[in-house]
Amino acid sequence: MKKESDEFHVTPWEISGRIDYNKLMKEFGVSPLDEKTLRRIEKHTKELHFMLKRKIIFAHRDLDWLLDEYEKGNKFFLYTGCGPSGPVHLGHLQMWLFTKWLQDKFNAELWFQFTDDEKFLFKDKSYEEIQKWTYENMLDVIALGFDPKKTHFLIDTKHANLLYPLAIKIAKKINFSTLKSAFGFTNETNIGQIFYTSMQASPAVLPSAIKGKNIPCLIPLGVDQDPHFRVARDVYPKLGYYKPAIMHKMMFPSLGGAGAMSSSKGNIITSIDSPKEVEMKIKKYAFSGGADTSEQHRKKGGNPDVDISFQYLKMFFEPDDTKLKKIEEDYKNGKLLTGELKEYLIKKINSFLAEHQRRRERAKKEVDKFIYKEK
Amino acid sequence: MKKESDEFHVTPWEISGRIDYNKLMKEFGVSPLDEKTLRRIEKHTKELHFMLKRKIIFAHRDLDWLLDEYEKGNKFFLYTGCGPSGPVHLGHLQMWLFTKWLQDKFNAELWFQFTDDEKFLFKDKSYEEIQKWTYENMLDVIALGFDPKKTHFLIDTKHANLLYPLAIKIAKKINFSTLKSAFGFTNETNIGQIFYTSMQASPAVLPSAIKGKNIPCLIPLGVDQDPHFRVARDVYPKLGYYKPAIMHKMMFPSLGGAGAMSSSKGNIITSIDSPKEVEMKIKKYAFSGGADTSEQHRKKGGNPDVDISFQYLKMFFEPDDTKLKKIEEDYKNGKLLTGELKEYLIKKINSFLAEHQRRRERAKKEVDKFIYKEK
């Protein structure tokens, strides 16, 4: 294999280079999700989600504290979100499926933030386009089967009455220097972008603010979102709130293999792709770890670690450990060709999306039930 | 007279030195309010407010454009505000009395913003204390007799659903560099302060956004507030809105004479002071332009230009030009002693405040009528 540059960079708005997750954990100051903590989770959930077993959820902050509180009867709520700037892609769905598992297993309230302000401020898109995507993305979240009684959508511009008063309390304790070093902001950064972190930080304490008592919070997130909370976690205790616990998911790889699947980079598989589109994209773009010809592949085998089709199965579409193991071995020893692996993945994705798209249609009647209303 | 330093500095949060208003107009790029424009105003108002005749309202932006529009039948609305961090003082009341005159003469809608977010972000005060002052300051505004049918209170944290979506549109077009040079912000400035200008800029176009058509806006303000709009005026046209016209009021001087009356500096006369407090403050603190002894004063006379009691009469409490002229002459030629001038002012202030405080009590029942409600 070619030696790749060690350089990588992870912020909520830019991921470049091949991420070294061990280095990243040190850089961000987060803990690896170790066996001991996994066993503690399993004690309550009876089984472990495959993303936990496979260390796709690979790191955390304060999860042991959260479980301590849980075991004392101090239940937590979940908070995650979505930046609505285009169609939802597989990386989003993956994160939210895990979040739904947490909701189900811990019977937890979920606050789900749609950061329309963020996407408007950071993208070269109109306010109206972002609003359209906010609605479209809500359908995807609903389609995943979250419990409407326990799931509360917050849309930053629509729930600003709730979020802005909290955001300014957080903002008062963060200066520009801190954001410069966390995000690489410059003097040319717009003042909405500068403020935005305090809006994303707010839902982690909103339920506590509403109820007037401290409630533990668990944030499952893609690791690129961690810097917001790295900054905000210093602030929460100053306002009398708990620091939220965090579970970090690896970035879902782009079809091309390097970097993360990202709406702004194209070549993504979205929740609204047709079976034909999925087939074309996987066949045409999914980076292969196979040998150059079938003959060579039969002889030397392929490398599943860099094969995007295999990675998509491992990270999302093949929850069955036995089946995954067999695929991995067959691919390694050349029994399974890249084309066959791709066909398997295409069927898996299209079967998932067919059901998702049916539920997504039904979700159009349910949006209002999910949007949080002030009592 | 002692030669004073030429250095002065005017921002919304810090006024230092003795303001040279001619220099300030050049620095800010605003126009002096000349006779020609005053005559145009008078054509519509039939008479000129004493603050206009005396050039206490001394400068403007785009007032001729506003009058052009008005004369074409394109009516304007008024927008002004209050930063609620303590009791209202004479400088606030003076600004709002002039605003009420504009409302009456032009039969104009008034949008009145209470910038509770600003005061929380810029002052070392709790959120709760700022909320208390927001309520208290609303009573003062109502007490001045604004028309409840035409006056709409906006409280930044309570109306964030309306203001934040506009604010991010403005914020997207302002970078940190611009605010550094407008306000002297540094890397240590908190990120709420950095964002805040876009919240103050929003009400100038909110009625246009609500109605879905461009409505001219006139902002009467203390000149220290101009920098917010100097920055925002470049942005409004990019969003398809008119630039607002502005009328600038001189700062109401502090009792000590130098700088502006400011809640953060103490020695202010507030709307809730008792007659005894007013008497004490004027007698003890109001800077005198009189001679050192009564005998000297009788001989050499006093200097009304630096005498705070005379300035308060000129700027607020003696609207009658003939009476003011006589007081000025009597003081200059030594006929009127500082003590007598102060007694006259004390009576004027206490008579104003007695009525104001009565109306302020009544206002407690009217607050709800003034707070803007979304249709």
Side-chain angles (χ1 to χ4, degrees), chain A residues 266-286:
Chain A
N267 284 351
I268 58 173
I269 295 179
T270 80
S271 73
I272 49 175
D273 280 355
S274 70
K276 282 256 168 266
E277 284 170 310
V278 170
E279 184 181 355
M280 181 280 286
K281 287 177 182 179
I282 295 293
K283 288 190 171 163
K284 190 161 174 188
Y285 299 118

Side-chain angles (χ1 to χ4, degrees), chain A residues 116-128 156-162 164-166 168-180 186-199 374, chain B residues 116-128 156-162 164-166 168-180 186-199 374:
Chain A
D116 59 343
D117 52 347
E118 175 197 17
K119 289 303 170 181
F120 172 72
L121 288 162
F122 283 87
K123 298 262 177 184
D124 190 18
K125 293 197 172 175
S126 74
Y127 192 82
E128 291 64 34
D156 284 359
T157 63
K158 305 288 181 295
H159 292 87
N161 275 2
L162 279 171
Y164 184 71
L166 268 176
I168 58 172
K169 291 179 189 172
I170 294 165
K172 191 174 181 177
K173 303 203 180 290
I174 301 174
N175 66 27
F176 186 59
S177 271
T178 304
L179 295 199
K180 262 182 145 168
T186 70
N187 285 347
E188 309 318 308
T189 304
N190 80 51
I191 62 173
Q193 293 174 334
I194 295 172
F195 180 66
Y196 169 72
T197 283
S198 51
M199 290 296 280
E374 269 185 272
Chain B
D116 59 344
D117 53 346
E118 175 197 17
K119 289 302 170 180
F120 172 72
L121 288 162
F122 282 87
K123 298 264 178 182
D124 189 18
K125 293 197 172 173
S126 75
Y127 193 81
E128 291 64 36
D156 285 358
T157 63
K158 305 288 180 293
H159 292 86
N161 275 1
L162 280 171
Y164 184 70
L166 268 177
I168 59 173
K169 291 179 189 170
I170 294 166
K172 192 174 181 176
K173 304 204 180 287
I174 301 174
N175 66 24
F176 188 52
S177 270
T178 304
L179 294 199
K180 272 183 145 166
T186 70
N187 286 348
E188 309 317 308
T189 303
N190 81 51
I191 61 173
Q193 293 173 333
I194 294 172
F195 180 67
Y196 170 71
T197 282
S198 51
M199 289 294 282
E374 271 185 270

Side-chain angles (χ1 to χ4, degrees), chain A residues 211-227:
Chain A
K211 288 261 165 70
K213 63 169 192 152
N214 233 335
I215 310 172
C217 171
L218 170 60
I219 310 177
L221 48 67
V223 68
D224 61 325
Q225 298 297 312
D226 184 78

Side-chain angles (χ1 to χ4, degrees), chain B residues 297-314:
Chain B
H297 190 85
R298 294 282 185 213
K299 256 186 266 175
K300 306 195 318 195
N303 179 358
D305 293 341
V306 301
D307 189 284
I308 282 301
S309 301
F310 180 77
Q311 290 302 316
Y312 283 14
L313 289 173
K314 180 178 169 186

